[in-house]
Amino acid sequence: MGDIPSEIERLIVREVRTLSPRQRAWFLAHRVSPPRLVSVANGIDSNASRDLWLVTDHTGDQDASSRVVFDAEANGFGVAMDFVEGPALLFLMSGGLAEALEAM
């Protein structure tokens, strides 16, 4: 994968058409464009972290407790859960954008 943000954008354009109207509206309102790198923890008891691409973020309106991320190595979307302190925790890599939104 060369230009990762551009590849993520191409995947989003393809997959956003498959979302339900409710999912599409929420996703478009919370979308990060272009995606940006964030560090997330690999596990609750682990100090290890990894860099993923942030695809949705909080806007102050109908925010979720988690955010959609993209893993370039796995070439798929997933969900990172937010915590009050420390980095977000990666808890699911689902593959597709719709599956990641459903997992939220």
Side-chain angles (χ1 to χ4, degrees):
M1 205 179 272
D3 179 14
I4 295 171
S6 293
E7 180 61 25
I8 295 168
E9 294 290 334
R10 281 191 288 278
L11 289 170
I12 288 170
V13 167
R14 185 179 74 211
E15 293 192 35
V16 78
R17 293 179 276 182
T18 67
L19 302 177
S20 71
R22 179 187 59 79
Q23 285 179 322
R24 187 178 307 116
W26 187 91
F27 175 77
L28 293 174
H30 291 83
R31 182 178 178 183
V32 174
S33 186
R36 67 179 185 272
L37 274 175
V38 294
S39 185
V40 300
N42 267 335
I44 294 174
D45 297 328
S46 172
N47 289 329
S49 64
R50 61 195 286 193
D51 291 335
L52 300 172
W53 293 89
L54 188 64
V55 177
T56 66
D57 204 355
H58 307 300
T59 64
D61 184 33
Q62 296 181 343
D63 290 336
S65 62
S66 52
R67 298 175 288 170
V68 175
V69 293
F70 183 83
D71 183 344
E73 289 180 28
N75 195 33
F77 294 94
V79 177
M81 176 152 296
D82 293 333
F83 289 97
V84 175
E85 296 181 21
L89 172 68
L90 176 65
F91 79 93
L92 173 71
M93 289 307 296
S94 66
L97 180 59
E99 291 86 3
L101 289 168
E102 281 297 318
M104 294 177 68

